[in-house]
Amino acid sequence: MADFSGFPFHTLMIQGTTSDAGKSTLAAALCRLLKRDGVTVAPFKPQNMALNSAVTADGGEIGRAQALQAQAAGIAPHTDMNPVLLKPSSDTGAQVIVHGKVRADMNARDYHRYKTEAMQAVLQSYQRLRAQYRAIIVEGAGSPAEINLRARDIANMGFAEAVDCPVIIVADIDRGGVFAHLTGTLDCLSPSERERVIGFVINRFRGDISLLQPGLDWLEQKTGKPVLAVLPYLHGLQLDAEDAIASSQTVRGAFRVLVPVLPRISNHTDFDALRAHPDIDLQFIGPGRAIPPADLIILPGSKNTRGDLQWLREQGWPDAIRKHLRYGGKLIGICGGFQMLGEGVDDPHGVEGAAGASEGLGLLAMRTELTREKRLVQVSGQCAFTHDRAGVSGYEIHMGVSSGAALAAPAFIIDGRGEGARSADGQILGSYLHGMFDTPQAFSALMAWAGLGGVAAVDLDQLREASLERLADATAPLYDALKQVRSRFG
């Protein structure tokens, strides 16, 4: 067996009994613990379905969770860490991204047939990482017990069988039914798949561990698999979400910011710095909710701009936005939200659905045409709306080109060119720049523009680092238990 400071596995896969069981955070924690031990480690997720994505230095697109895990490992994110990314554009279709680039738009049936080819891309990426790093921490997707998806599986046991790696299964006790989740998942696996499960992890436990012990003993006796660790419920972690928006929202300061939860909202991690700030009350407004008064409204990114524009109209947002502006409120549009602010969005090629055109909100003198080519780039520059030209950095992920008179007053200066737009009255700002609030200087400048001046910016990267360290400390019992595991998977 390899000796990686006592860690016995070249490759270890984390699968879950459900989505959001804790696979992403567990993978990040193990990457950080291996890094602490001086082991070169890389995260890997064969297939991800998420609308939160990141742009890598090699000009590709991967899931946001893998970018966070790369930070935990102390390495730069790379497209090989998430070779297949699915970005849903409807309930039955998705944009398929392979090795960081758009391959095609497919419905569920077509993608199922494509999985055999996708597996080759997955294995190519895995082998490249395997040649560079001493350990690979692999994250599964959803659950391996989804029987209808077992054929041609590339995300869970299909991958584990292909590379012959061990698996640990994590379940979220906070959901309830944890023992049924674990035993039921195991029962749905084939004999060879059950054999490669080296143990269980019970996640998000709070309470008296002695009251859980009889259940742990029963589980181990029934399955013959050890419970490797029971991990605590950790409050207040500041970590990038893989996809879902947190259901609970903490009311903080008096400055209220509203973000509509579009059906195809993308990159809502744009608002993490706002959500973490003690002076800001960030509210995600879902369907059917009343739209309260606010200081700032932000229209977020969208994977289906025309469809989400229609949803905004059905929910009454145009009237609420106009009232908000009449009372002196500020409005920001990011990426798809920026496109919505214009006079119209044209999709002549059917990039996001049926070809056609939609009327925009008419708040900026510009029009957008959606294009087949996606722009993926990390950028940096200055805020054009401040006298001191505060610095900003972020990334662009969009399929579309905007043009019109509004762009003559840009929001930012990127590489010497104007980017985005501002309204003549100074109340509206739009940009393709994701992550604009993550740079402390830009955060302060944007908040001052919106009416919240004189506040210190939240250092989001520092918060992430502190959360990763705290997460790793809490996961240390699992790491120690894994060092004691002896199996054929060396």
Side-chain angles (χ1 to χ4, degrees), residues 274-420:
L274 300 174
R275 184 162 39 188
H277 201 285
D279 295 319
I280 295 174
D281 173 21
L282 177 72
Q283 296 189 20
F284 287 103
I285 307 298
R289 279 190 58 190
I291 304 170
D295 299 286
L296 171 65
I297 293 176
I298 306 178
L299 300 184
S302 167
K303 189 62 191 70
N304 190 326
T305 304
R306 293 176 60 218
D308 284 349
L309 251 174
Q310 180 59 34
W311 180 89
L312 281 178
R313 291 191 167 93
E314 292 168 356
Q315 298 293 316
W317 277 95
D319 288 342
I321 288 171
R322 289 186 176 89
K323 180 179 179 180
H324 169 77
L325 293 171
R326 283 199 306 272
Y327 280 86
K330 297 297 181 71
L331 174 66
I332 295 177
I334 300 176
C335 200
F338 172 41
Q339 296 173 342
M340 294 176 189
L341 296 177
E343 294 163 347
V345 179
D346 303 322
D347 189 2
H349 309 293
V351 171
E352 291 186 344
S358 295
E359 182 181 349
L361 298 176
L363 299 172
L364 290 175
M366 65 174 215
R367 196 170 188 93
T368 298
E369 180 175 320
L370 300 182
T371 57
R372 290 192 178 100
E373 184 176 352
K374 180 180 283 193
R375 177 170 168 81
L376 295 164
V377 63
Q378 296 179 354
V379 299
S380 60
Q382 299 84 39
C383 298
F385 54 89
T386 62
H387 295 299
D388 61 356
R389 291 294 191 262
V392 67
S393 61
Y395 57 98
E396 294 183 39
I397 302 178
H398 61 93
M399 304 176 81
V401 177
S402 300
S403 59
L407 277 67
F412 302 102
I413 304 298
I414 303 295
D415 296 330
R417 63 174 177 85
E419 194 283 327

Side-chain angles (χ1 to χ4, degrees), residues 112-248:
H112 187 67
R113 287 192 290 265
Y114 177 74
K115 282 183 180 178
T116 302
E117 185 176 341
M119 177 61 105
Q120 299 309 308
V122 166
L123 295 176
Q124 290 167 12
S125 287
Y126 170 75
Q127 293 299 337
R128 284 194 289 265
L129 291 177
R130 188 69 188 82
Q132 297 176 64
Y133 298 94
R134 297 179 71 190
I136 308 293
I137 300 298
V138 186
E139 179 190 341
S143 165
E146 293 164 351
I147 302 302
N148 56 308
L149 301 178
R150 293 286 297 280
R152 303 186 180 129
D153 171 51
I154 68 173
N156 289 299
M157 283 299 180
F159 172 81
E161 296 264 86
V163 303
D164 194 25
C165 73
V167 171
I168 59 176
I169 297 180
V170 58
D172 178 5
I173 195 170
D174 199 55
R175 293 171 178 259
V178 70
F179 299 112
H181 282 170
L182 288 167
T183 56
T185 297
L186 207 62
D187 283 347
C188 289
L189 303 181
S190 71
S192 65
E193 292 168 347
R194 283 195 293 271
E195 182 185 352
R196 69 181 58 259
V197 176
I198 60 172
F200 303 125
V201 174
I202 293 177
N203 193 28
R204 299 191 182 112
F205 177 76
R206 40 188 166 185
D208 186 342
I209 190 71
S210 66
L211 297 177
L212 185 64
Q213 193 60 50
L216 303 181
D217 295 339
W218 174 88
L219 180 64
E220 292 185 340
Q221 182 178 13
K222 180 174 179 60
T223 64
K225 306 288 185 182
V227 177
L228 297 168
V230 177
L231 301 180
Y233 194 110
L234 297 179
H235 295 274
L237 290 176
Q238 187 66 48
L239 298 172
D240 301 35
E242 181 172 54
D243 200 35
I245 295 174
S247 56
S248 60

